[in-house]
Amino acid sequence: MTFSSLCRSAVAVLGALAFASVVPSAFAQDIKERNLKFAFSLAKDHPLGQGAQKFADLVGQKSGGKIKVALFPNAVLGGDPQNLSAVRGGTLDFASMATGLLAGIDKQFMVFDFPFLFGSPQEAYGLADGPVGTKLQSGLAKHGLVGLGIWDLGFRNMTNSKRPVARAEDMQGLKMRVIASPIYLDLFNTLGANPVPMTFGEVYGALESKAIDGQDNPVGVIESAKFAEVQKYLSLTRHVYTGMPVLMSKKTWDGMSETERRIITEAANEAKLEERRIAQAKESESIDNLPKTMQVNEVTPAELSRLRQKVQPVVDKFAKEVGEPLMTEVNAELTRLRAGK
């Protein structure tokens, strides 16, 4: 390489560095000092809490430290209904809660809670990230919300203090805490249980006092919430998958510059992928750990098939409620995902 070409290369590199140093400062003018709040009901060490911390860290990095996100785990600002109301009203900036809890403002979100809809987390991620999930989240704007992606809580399993659930008949008469959503009430009624709607923050105390016999949650939640202290039996039914939409107040969003919105969106997308990775690793770890403190049983394929048949009327009923157009989209998308296209 000649001396002149070396000089030209050096000038090009220096020019690129100079441009890179100018762009952030130009963008920085669009970034205000902000202190934002992110509330959720789960523990800070749960995968969702770790994902929220990742999101907060990324927002801080991408904003040059100007935008700070403070986390409020363990329902310290209130239960999910209070958090949802606060985010819609603009007094809370971010929250995350189960898809079933959004059914109260948009019943189409119930589709994520259909029993035995998904065969794997990857199918759930594909539906959440694809046209169906994107459209449902876009529809939240009219309710004062911005959807920032659907994170992973996992497949739900049954715990109780009475007996193992190995067959549908074993649910008979059990007083079970459920998410306050119509599909969960119908699901557990159909299985012969007595469903009790309750916010997550109340569950441990209700189990400890024997006000209820059991509850259902993914194994990562069961472990992090220390339900083994107040529950004897864990039955791996994997009957419903639960996604966790991350919600932002539209009032906060509307008050931001395009640069700030891009920071929030990019951080949420990156944190979602990290949260899902942690959630899957945690599920494997919890399945290894929980038999040390609980009596754990699998459910045979034949009995799972009987469970599916028993709850099919619930699926049929709520498929009509969410509407044929959405169900057609959901089924087409799941068929495509299963074909690997």
Side-chain angles (χ1 to χ4, degrees), residues 259-294:
T259 301
E260 291 172 319
R261 291 176 185 176
R262 187 164 63 250
I263 287 168
I264 296 296
T265 303
E266 289 177 358
N269 285 335
E270 291 175 36
K272 175 182 70 179
L273 298 178
E274 177 70 1
E275 189 275 343
R276 288 174 175 175
R277 184 193 67 75
I278 297 169
Q280 292 217 23
K282 179 61 178 174
E283 176 163 319
S284 298
E285 182 186 310
S286 296
I287 286 174
D288 288 339
N289 290 339
L290 286 168
K292 300 169 188 173
T293 53
M294 303 181 81

Side-chain angles (χ1 to χ4, degrees), residues 102-132:
L102 290 182
I105 60 173
D106 184 350
K107 65 184 178 182
Q108 289 192 312
F109 270 93
M110 285 192 296
V111 75
F112 283 99
D113 297 309
F114 281 14
F116 303 107
L117 179 67
F118 300 112
S120 69
Q122 287 70 32
E123 289 181 10
Y125 300 163
L127 194 72
D129 296 343
V132 171

Side-chain angles (χ1 to χ4, degrees), residues 33 53 68 75-76 87 96 98 104 162-163 223 249 300 314 322:
E33 296 278 350
Q53 185 63 60
K68 299 176 178 64
V76 293
V87 173
S96 183
K162 299 287 188 182
R163 56 184 173 268
E223 184 177 22
S249 170
T300 67
V314 178
V322 302

